[in-house]
Amino acid sequence: MEINKGKKKITDIEVSDQASEKLGSKWFSYMIYFFGGLGGLLFGYDTGVISGALLFIKQDLGLDPTLEGFVVSSVMFGAILGSVVTSPLSDKFGRKKLIVILGLLFTASSIGTAWPPNVYVMIVFRILLGIAVGGASGLVPMYLAELAPAAKRGIITAYNGIMNATGMLSAYVVNYLLAPSGDWHVMLGIAVIPSGLLLLGMLFMPESPKWLTQNRKSNKARKVLLMTYDSIEEVDKEMFVMESLAKKNEKGNFSLLFAKWARPIVLTGILVAVFQQLTGANTIFYYAPSVLSAAGLGDSAAIAGTIGVGIVNLVMTIVGSYLVDRWGRKKLLLLGSIGMASALVILGLAELIPGIPPILMLVAMCFFMVSYSTTWGMVAWVVLAEIFPLKIRGMAMAVCTFCLWSSSAVIALGFPIAANAFGPAAIFLFFAGLCILSYFFVRNKLPETKGKTLEEIELDFRFEKNFEKQQMVK
């Protein structure tokens, strides 16, 4: 006896084999997502901790505005290299192996940045740390997206953003607790704990089923899907689609990024990545204590204020992860652009009008975080992780994260210099204008991908279908 399943025929023996399969424990699937997400936690901690530590590093190492910019932006320059190298290597060697290597690099560079003999050695180790941050920023969301069922992919991929926000809040709390002693060495060195967990935990995690199928390891891919999917039927459907695409055996190379069907989506991904940085979030993350301190709060009070920003960031990231599979990616990004532009205008005006209390700036920063964390801070990574076809996913993510971190580096390096030259008000209002541009980009150019499998998204782009029309029909 044979039964038809689309174009695939399944024999009695195969049905019997499948009936004997058992879905994995949900707790084990949670462990997979937890250890995968530790890369996001480190990403958040290492980018957030410098904001408080910088107040004391400047005093101990005697930094001028240029050196201050280099200390902060060196991570971004390293991230540029990490984003370019890591994703293509993951196409060749697998997602898991690269995340393990990143865990090792996180650990070594955290020690090096915490106890450097001088500022120049610190900058070198922060570049190495940036390689790990840049690699994790693209690879972890991609790893989680490739493990997740389509119906849950948004929230599971967004889990990376939740871990990122958790790491950032942890950094702010550590900064506050250590502010009385000014011990920036310990502030930076605590990152060794989560980096060690990432390194050890990923040794026991599975490889991406998409990568396994693409590399002719379908049996192993099926076992991984059984760990994370809710039903055998879902596993059968996913395996059928993945194997169908893998049989095409289309060679993945850089030139594919310029194919007629690929160009529009690659350009869309680049703009999503760049706009996530051009919203001005890094001016809040990296320099919030410095801005609040200059506005009249003491160093400890300024660092305490960032804890409020961090709490808002975490809570609203969780809210956004709940909404991303319900409201869709596009709606959230549009709302975020409007909210961030409004908050930045308030910050700019607060800088221009004398006598404005510092608490108003703190409220505006929190309003910015509500808008950013629910939307662009988390949703952009979801979009980037899911829109690219498997054959170019690693290379396309490399290009997009390269553009993202290049933008971030320019902002981090240029903000203290530009703020010193033109004043913070002009900078905040400049970023508000860019937020408005991001609104029109999303409204006119970004397709909605909610509820589609990664393979369905790929087929839609290959056959040049209009996403918006399909969503309207649905």
Side-chain angles (χ1 to χ4, degrees):
M1 173 184 172
E2 293 182 337
I3 58 175
N4 289 323
K5 188 177 179 89
K7 295 182 179 180
K8 184 180 181 183
K9 292 183 178 180
I10 305 176
T11 66
D12 282 330
I13 295 176
E14 290 171 320
V15 171
S16 176
D17 287 342
Q18 291 171 12
S20 67
E21 292 178 320
K22 294 182 180 180
L23 295 169
S25 165
K26 285 189 176 181
W27 284 107
F28 186 71
S29 67
Y30 296 155
M31 292 297 289
I32 294 173
Y33 302 141
F34 171 76
F35 282 109
L38 278 175
L41 186 144
L42 282 161
F43 174 14
Y45 187 88
D46 285 319
T47 53
V49 73
I50 194 62
S51 64
L54 191 62
L55 295 172
F56 308 106
I57 294 172
K58 286 193 294 185
Q59 297 172 9
D60 285 358
L61 302 182
L63 305 184
D64 59 25
T66 301
L67 275 178
E68 177 186 348
F70 273 110
V71 167
V72 175
S73 64
S74 54
V75 165
M76 290 75 182
F77 287 112
I80 294 170
L81 178 59
S83 64
V84 170
V85 172
T86 304
S87 293
L89 287 177
S90 75
D91 283 343
K92 183 174 183 179
F93 299 107
R95 318 311 194 204
K96 173 184 172 178
K97 290 179 183 177
L98 265 294
I99 294 176
V100 170
I101 293 172
L102 292 178
L104 182 61
L105 189 55
F106 267 122
T107 303
S109 55
S110 294
I111 296 171
T113 56
W115 290 278
N118 56 59
V119 67
Y120 302 104
V121 173
M122 169 181 271
I123 290 173
V124 170
F125 273 106
R126 280 185 61 78
I127 290 173
L128 294 176
L129 179 63
I131 293 174
V133 168
S137 66
L139 189 55
V140 170
M142 185 166 63
Y143 175 74
L144 294 175
E146 291 181 349
L147 282 166
K152 301 178 182 178
R153 191 178 62 247
I155 190 170
I156 289 172
T157 308
Y159 171 67
N160 178 68
I162 294 173
M163 293 293 276
N164 188 310
T166 302
M168 194 162 289
L169 176 58
S170 300
Y172 292 155
V173 171
V174 168
N175 285 346
Y176 176 70
L177 294 176
L178 294 175
S181 66
D183 195 343
W184 58 270
H185 303 283
V186 177
M187 291 178 184
L188 300 179
I190 285 178
V192 170
I193 297 173
S195 66
L197 286 175
L198 173 66
L199 176 60
L200 295 175
M202 282 303 299
L203 294 174
F204 302 96
M205 296 299 105
E207 182 53 86
S208 158
K210 313 287 185 185
W211 185 87
L212 289 170
T213 304
Q214 195 67 37
N215 287 271
R216 304 296 186 265
K217 298 178 181 179
S218 295
N219 289 337
K220 291 183 178 180
R222 185 178 186 84
K223 291 179 181 178
V224 176
L225 292 180
L226 288 168
M227 298 176 189
T228 58
Y229 278 52
D230 294 330
S231 70
I232 299 294
E233 290 74 16
E234 285 183 305
V235 173
D236 290 339
K237 177 185 176 182
E238 186 72 6
M239 285 302 305
F240 175 68
V241 176
M242 289 194 304
E243 289 174 337
S244 298
L245 289 174
K247 286 177 182 177
K248 293 182 178 180
N249 197 31
E250 182 183 0
K251 182 175 176 59
N253 55 63
F254 190 77
S255 63
L256 276 180
L257 298 179
F258 303 96
K260 182 179 179 181
W261 60 269
R263 286 197 302 268
I265 192 57
V266 173
L267 179 59
T268 299
I270 290 172
L271 290 174
V272 168
V274 171
F275 270 122
Q276 195 215 40
Q277 296 301 306
L278 295 184
T279 57
N282 283 342
T283 64
I284 307 296
F285 287 141
Y286 299 138
Y287 297 105
S290 299
V291 171
L292 292 175
S293 180
L297 294 178
D299 287 351
S300 294
I303 292 175
T306 64
I307 294 179
V309 174
I311 292 172
V312 172
N313 182 31
L314 175 58
V315 171
M316 298 314 298
T317 299
I318 294 172
V319 171
S321 69
Y322 175 81
L323 296 174
V324 68
D325 284 325
R326 291 167 174 79
W327 290 11
R329 288 58 160 152
K330 188 166 184 173
K331 182 182 292 186
L332 286 177
L333 292 176
L334 288 171
L335 290 173
S337 295
I338 295 171
M340 290 185 297
S342 302
L344 288 166
V345 168
I346 293 172
L347 284 170
L349 294 177
E351 287 282 353
L352 288 174
I353 302 173
I356 294 295
I359 190 65
L360 178 62
M361 298 189 70
L362 181 59
V363 170
M365 286 182 178
C366 288
F367 179 49
F368 179 93
M369 292 309 306
V370 168
S371 303
Y372 175 81
S373 302
T374 315
T375 62
W376 280 91
M378 174 271 300
V379 178
W381 291 111
V382 175
V383 172
L384 291 175
E386 67 185 3
I387 61 175
F388 300 118
L390 182 60
K391 276 295 183 180
I392 65 169
R393 190 168 296 150
M395 292 176 290
M397 280 293 285
V399 170
C400 290
T401 50
F402 169 82
C403 294
L404 183 150
W405 286 111
S406 296
S407 303
S408 180
V410 170
I411 292 169
L413 178 60
F415 178 78
I417 300 172
N420 185 57
F422 304 107
I427 307 304
F428 289 136
L429 293 174
F430 172 74
F431 283 124
L434 292 176
C435 287
I436 294 171
L437 286 180
S438 74
Y439 173 87
F440 288 104
F441 158 69
V442 172
R443 191 185 71 174
N444 297 325
K445 299 296 182 181
L446 188 68
E448 180 58 77
T449 55
K450 181 185 74 171
K452 291 181 177 286
T453 68
L454 298 180
E455 288 73 26
E456 286 171 338
I457 295 170
E458 174 175 351
L459 290 173
D460 281 338
F461 274 108
R462 281 182 177 276
F463 290 102
E464 301 183 74
K465 293 179 180 178
N466 187 300
F467 268 38
E468 297 296 341
K469 289 181 180 179
Q470 288 192 22
Q471 292 296 321
M472 290 176 65
V473 170
K474 291 185 178 181

